[in-house]
Amino acid sequence: DGGITQSPKYLFRKEGQNVTLSCEQNLNHDAMYWYRQDPGQGLRLIYYSQIVNDFQKGDIAEGYSVSREKKESFPLTVTSAQKNPTAFYLCASSILLDTSYGYTFGSGTRLTVV
Amino acid sequence: QKEVEQNSGPLSVPEGAIASLNCTYSDRGSQSFFWYRQYSGKSPELIMFIYSNGDKEDGRFTAQLNKASQYVSLLIRDSQPSDSATYLCAVKAGKSTFGDGTTLTVKP
């Protein structure tokens, strides 16, 4: 079955540590996105990519980095520069150039600073 | 002003009633509108898409769009306890902007 796989489901980060969240899709979607969700709030866009080897900053990119070396993969690194990283991170994908197509989401990664 | 605003909620309705969820958006050029359902602790799932003015029905769900008023709504008929979730309104396909969501509780 096609879908998006995020791993790990739970992640604990120590102060000053970089961590990488994995996102893999087998839907053959062109576009991939990373969103952050804080309790009681909506989704805020961190980064997105519409094509391999290209990505764009979203609204809250500071302290995060991404890569898109393969169409299927869009990992997110939370760097030590992100001072408040505790949140629920969601990866999504969609078909580009189809305005009727919404997002398919992964199951999310819950990151906690310890 | 936020790009996408939803009723702050929470919204509570008795089982069998109609639940009405509302959303306004600021970009008059927006073409595509989506409703996602998110159960507690889970990721969002797409339940409705609408792009034309008027109503679009899918089972117990009806999405309504009024571009002149920049208003989108979701009606859930015959609400069930399993409908209890947070409902997110999203505007635009690709690089969507989301509202903060409205939490719905359906009481048996």
Side-chain angles (χ1 to χ4, degrees):
Chain A
D1 287 338
I4 298 182
T5 301
Q6 287 189 245
S7 63
K9 188 171 182 177
Y10 298 96
L11 186 58
F12 299 91
R13 192 193 94 165
K14 295 181 180 179
E15 295 285 348
Q17 188 179 42
N18 291 356
V19 292
T20 297
L21 284 59
S22 171
C23 178
E24 303 274 337
Q25 55 101 356
N26 60 3
L27 299 165
N28 199 34
H29 286 171
D30 300 300
M32 297 186 74
Y33 311 84
W34 275 105
Y35 283 88
R36 168 179 172 147
Q37 188 176 35
D38 293 283
Q41 297 189 29
L43 279 60
R44 291 185 290 167
L45 182 63
I46 304 172
Y47 269 98
Y48 66 102
S49 169
Q50 297 178 331
I51 193 170
V52 174
N53 292 323
D54 187 53
F55 46 83
Q56 308 297 327
K57 292 182 178 180
D59 301 319
I60 57 165
E62 185 174 350
Y64 300 97
S65 66
V66 293
S67 63
R68 186 91 185 271
E69 297 177 1
K70 300 184 299 181
K71 186 176 183 177
E72 301 79 16
S73 180
F74 192 40
L76 173 74
T77 297
V78 184
T79 75
S80 57
Q82 172 50 242
K83 296 307 178 188
N84 185 23
T86 296
F88 188 40
Y89 291 85
L90 289 159
C91 180
S93 70
S94 70
I95 296 173
L96 208 55
L97 303 178
D98 185 340
T99 57
S100 68
Y101 203 90
Y103 288 173
T104 301
F105 282 93
S107 58
T109 293
R110 204 167 293 277
L111 174 62
T112 303
V113 174
V114 296
Chain B
Q1 181 188 6
K2 284 187 175 181
E3 288 188 55
V4 180
E5 296 205 50
Q6 297 184 241
N7 329 40
S8 57
L11 177 65
S12 179
V13 301
E15 184 174 354
I18 296 175
S20 177
L21 305 160
N22 303 315
C23 174
T24 57
Y25 60 94
S26 60
D27 183 356
R28 187 170 287 279
S30 298
Q31 297 294 318
S32 303
F33 307 88
F34 304 87
W35 284 99
Y36 292 83
R37 177 177 60 200
Q38 185 176 24
Y39 290 115
S40 181
K42 303 295 185 182
S43 60
E45 57 178 325
L46 180 66
I47 56 171
M48 289 290 284
F49 155 73
I50 189 168
Y51 66 94
S52 295
N53 277 326
D55 295 358
K56 179 181 179 183
E57 188 174 315
D58 184 2
R60 295 186 296 110
F61 297 93
T62 299
Q64 299 176 317
L65 175 61
N66 183 326
K67 289 187 178 179
S69 301
Q70 294 175 242
Y71 178 89
V72 192
S73 66
L74 179 70
L75 300 178
I76 306 175
R77 292 184 303 281
D78 189 24
S79 295
Q80 301 297 309
S82 60
D83 295 325
S84 298
T86 296
Y87 290 81
L88 300 166
C89 172
V91 175
K92 297 179 190 175
K95 194 177 172 250
S96 291
T97 300
F98 288 80
D100 287 344
T102 300
T103 298
L104 171 67
T105 300
V106 180
K107 295 187 175 180

